[in-house]
Amino acid sequence: MRRRRALGLAVAATTASLLSACGRGGLAVSEVRAARQESARIARFGAIAPDDFTADGINRALRAVAAVGGEVVLAEGTYVIDKTVEIPTDNVTLRGAGPGTVLQATDNAFVMLYLHQRKLVTVADLRIVGYGQDGRGGAGINASQIERCTFENLTVERCGSSDAAGIFMQRSSYNRIAGCHLESNGRGLHLYRDSTNNVIDRCTGYRNAKEMIFITTGGSDNAVSNCVSENDAVSAPAVSIAIHRSDRTSVTDTIVRRTGTEQGIEIAAGADNVVAGCTISESVWAGLHVVNAVRTVVTGNRIVQNRQSGILLRKAGTPEDVRPCDDCIISGNEISGNNTARRPANEVSWAGIEIESGNNVIIESNVLDDNYSAAVYIHPGNSGTRIMTNELRGIHATRLINRGDGTLADING
C-alpha cells in the first residue's frame, strides 16, 4: 500500500506542478523549462515492486509520463502481464534493472508490448517471457511505423508461434536493436514491409523455431553486425538469417552455427546486398544460399563444415522472384570442409562454390580447402564466370567442373 501511495503522489506532483505553472499565466521561459525538467524527473517511477504493478499499472505509469519525455523504471522481480502494455507517446523510456526484471505473459492471446507511430522511444534492460512457441499470437514486441526508437539489452523468449516473433517491426525506419537475446520464439526478429535503415547489432539467437533475423518485403539499407545465431530454425523450414526481397542490406562480422533445418544465411530476391566477415558453419544444407539475388558481394567470410555446398547460387521459388544470380562477387573467403557427407561429384553437385544459376560471377582470391568433391562446380546455362587467383588446399576430387559457357578459370593448388 505504501508503494502504491508513493506512486500516486509522484503522479499527482507531476500534474500539480504543471497545473500550477499554467495557472499563473505569462510564465518566463526559465520557469517553463524548470516545470518541464521537474515533470521529466518525477516521471522516473523507480523501485516499483512487482506485486504492485501488473500491465494496468505499467500502462498508467506510461500515460503519466509527460510529452516532454521521461522514464518508467521497473525494479527487479516478475511482473504478471495479462494484457498488452502500450507505449502511448513519443520520447518515452521503459526500463528495467536488467534480466532480473521479468515481464511474464499469462497466455498467448495478446502482444506483450505495442508501439504504433512512435518516435524516440527506448525499451531497455528487461526480460520479456511469452507463453510458449506454440499457439496463436503472443508476440513479444509489435511495432508499426516507428522511427528512431531503441531496443537495447532485452531478453525476449518463448513469444509467438512459428509465424510470430519475439520482436516484430513493420514500415519502421532508423531504429536500433542492440545487445538483445532472442530465444525459443517463433522468429527472433522480423523486419517486415518497407522497414529501412535499421541497425541490428550485438544480438544473439538460440533455438528460435524459424529465423533469428528475417528482413523481408521492401526492406533496404539495413545493417546486421556482430550477431551470433546458434541452433536457430530448429523446428520449421527456415534459415538462421534471411534477407528476402530487400536491397542494400549488409550482414557483417556475424557468426551462424548449426542451423537446424536449412541454410545458415540466405540472400533472396534482392539486389546489392553484402555478406562480409562472417563465420557460417555446420548448416544442414549450404552455408550461404544466394537465390534470385543480383550483385551480391560475399567477401572475407569463413564458410566451413556445412553439409552441402559452402556457397550456392541458384534461382528457385515463386515465379515473380525467379532470376539468375548475376554479377555476384565472391572474394577473399575461406571455404573449407564443406560437403561433410563427402558425397562424390558423380552423385551430387555439392562443392566449395556451386553456381547453379548465375552469369558474370567473379570468384577471386578465395582459399578452398577440403571440400572433397569439386572446389567449384558451374552448371549448364551459366556464362561469363571469371575464376582468378584462388588457392586450393587439401582434398578435392577435382578443381573445377565447368559446364557453363565462356568461363575464364585459374585455380592454383
Side-chain angles (χ1 to χ4, degrees), residues 221-242:
D221 302 287
N222 297 291
V224 178
S225 61
N226 303 297
C227 294
V228 177
S229 168
E230 179 96 25
N231 288 118
D232 286 307
V234 68
S235 61
V239 303
S240 288
I241 296 177

Side-chain angles (χ1 to χ4, degrees), residues 282-366:
E282 302 161 90
S283 304
V284 298
W285 288 12
L288 173 62
H289 187 210
V290 182
V291 55
N292 309 325
V294 298
R295 298 188 300 278
T296 304
V297 175
V298 181
T299 183
N301 301 285
R302 185 171 180 265
I303 302 174
V304 299
Q305 297 179 347
N306 298 287
R307 185 172 183 271
Q308 298 185 10
S309 294
I311 300 174
L312 172 60
L313 277 59
R314 64 193 294 253
K315 60 181 180 182
T318 53
E320 62 267 29
D321 288 336
V322 170
R323 60 180 172 180
C325 297
D326 293 345
D327 303 304
C328 295
I329 298 173
I330 301 171
S331 174
N333 303 282
E334 177 195 341
I335 305 166
S336 64
N338 300 291
N339 182 17
T340 55
R342 301 198 180 194
R343 299 280 297 277
N346 62 349
E347 291 183 5
V348 295
S349 56
W350 303 344
I353 300 170
E354 180 183 357
I355 303 177
E356 184 179 305
S357 182
N359 301 296
N360 305 313
V361 175
I362 296 174
I363 301 171
E364 64 176 353
S365 303
N366 301 284

Side-chain angles (χ1 to χ4, degrees), residues 193-253:
R193 198 177 292 282
D194 305 323
S195 292
T196 68
N197 296 282
N198 298 288
V199 173
I200 304 161
D201 184 52
R202 295 178 291 104
C203 293
T204 56
Y206 181 68
R207 295 187 65 80
N208 294 288
K210 288 190 174 180
E211 301 87 356
M212 173 203 171
I213 298 171
F214 186 33
I215 301 175
T216 185
T217 313
S220 65
D221 302 287
N222 297 291
V224 178
S225 61
N226 303 297
C227 294
V228 177
S229 168
E230 179 96 25
N231 288 118
D232 286 307
V234 68
S235 61
V239 303
S240 288
I241 296 177
I243 313 299
H244 281 196
R245 298 176 181 168
S246 300
D247 302 331
R248 297 182 305 281
T249 289
S250 62
V251 182
T252 60
D253 301 313

Side-chain angles (χ1 to χ4, degrees), residues 63-81:
R63 288 192 295 268
V65 175
V68 294
E71 289 190 340
V72 173
V73 180
L74 303 178
E76 288 189 357
T78 297
Y79 297 74
V80 177
I81 304 300

